[in-house]
Amino acid sequence: TQLLEQSPQFLSIQEGENLTVYCNSSSVFSSLQWYRQEPGEGPVLLVTVVTGGEVKKLKRLTFQFGDARKDSSLHITAAQPGDTGLYLCAGAKDRWMNRDDKIIFGKGTRLHILP
Amino acid sequence: DARVTQTPRDKVTEMGQEVTMRCQPILGHNTVFWYRQTMMQGLELLAYFRNRAPLDDSGMPKDRFSAEMPDATLATLKIQPSEPRDSAVYFCASGLRGLAGLTDTQYFGPGTRLTVL
């Protein structure tokens, strides 16, 4: 069973601070996605990374895929209350597999930004 | 603005009753997923369909859960009989898998919060 471990489970910080959350696995993934989920809603895709070492930026959010494609990180600069939510990483095993390349989700990091 | 819709949004039922949850995927999407989310287990894949055919339902308890797609605009998840341990939020998601086989972008519905007493 491929597991995606996310850390920390919970994080509460002050507005304006920087933070990094992690997504780790012992397995290699062909791609990795980050989602944000707000209370009462479904997860919403933020980014997909597919190349080892890839870095993508989305405003104040920076996503990195590890060189070995086993881990990923999400860094938020100058966190704002609107960043509050559950951040989920999800990995796909083999993007060229033609059938059962289902995506596996981590349990998430619950982030709370204090105003 | 195309969205996945799910009904009902909330369902409270008693143990032993049948529960049916419905999902309308985004028009044109060929892949539909059913997930269950709890605090303890996180988001678990129950089943998924491509072009209405079931590809994987290994995440579902077979004796009580069933998932179907009677047509391209409707996916259903049934629990019969329901048990208190089934209490969770159930999400449907849809996506479009092209010929290149790239990772699906999944668009999630708002979920059905199920409470089994």
Side-chain angles (χ1 to χ4, degrees), chain A:
Chain A
T1 303
Q2 302 167 37
L3 293 178
L4 280 169
E5 301 287 341
Q6 291 193 244
S7 61
Q9 285 185 280
F10 303 95
L11 184 59
S12 182
I13 64 170
Q14 290 292 138
E15 180 177 3
E17 293 184 1
N18 302 333
L19 66 105
T20 303
V21 297
Y22 301 92
C23 175
N24 295 298
S25 176
S26 57
S27 299
V28 175
F29 289 94
S30 61
S31 64
L32 201 135
Q33 298 178 322
W34 284 92
Y35 290 78
R36 179 168 64 212
Q37 184 179 15
E38 298 186 12
E41 300 295 331
V44 175
L45 180 67
L46 297 173
V47 76
T48 301
V49 286
V50 297
T51 305
E54 182 177 2
V55 176
K56 280 192 174 178
K57 293 194 174 187
L58 185 65
K59 297 183 180 178
R60 294 175 295 100
L61 278 59
T62 302
F63 305 86
Q64 184 163 9
F65 201 11
D67 291 341
R69 292 186 291 141
K70 293 182 178 181
D71 53 81
S72 181
S73 64
L74 159 58
H75 181 80
I76 302 179
T77 303
Q80 299 179 359
D83 297 327
T84 293
L86 177 67
Y87 287 80
L88 297 162
C89 67
K93 182 178 179 182
D94 185 350
R95 62 177 160 158
W96 302 117
M97 192 177 295
N98 59 7
R99 279 180 61 85
D100 56 348
D101 48 350
K102 57 192 176 189
I103 292 176
I104 299 166
F105 280 82
K107 292 186 179 181
T109 291
R110 198 166 295 276
L111 177 63
H112 185 58
I113 309 301
L114 303 167

Side-chain angles (χ1 to χ4, degrees), chain B residues 11-81:
Chain B
K11 176 72 175 179
V12 180
T13 191
E14 292 187 344
M15 183 173 62
Q17 296 298 306
E18 178 179 302
V19 175
T20 298
M21 291 168 270
R22 293 177 174 81
C23 167
Q24 182 172 11
I26 293 173
L27 189 65
H29 281 186
N30 60 4
T31 310
V32 174
F33 305 82
W34 280 105
Y35 290 91
R36 174 171 61 185
Q37 187 176 40
T38 62
M39 288 293 290
M40 291 297 294
Q41 299 299 327
L43 202 60
E44 301 174 280
L45 179 67
L46 297 175
Y48 77 108
F49 295 78
R50 183 154 297 139
N51 299 318
R52 295 178 55 204
L55 286 193
D56 189 335
D57 62 0
S58 59
M60 290 200 312
K62 298 291 190 304
D63 56 337
R64 299 184 300 108
F65 284 58
S66 61
E68 295 179 348
M69 280 202 74
D71 62 60
T73 64
L74 177 65
T76 62
L77 179 66
K78 290 186 181 181
I79 307 174
Q80 168 62 20

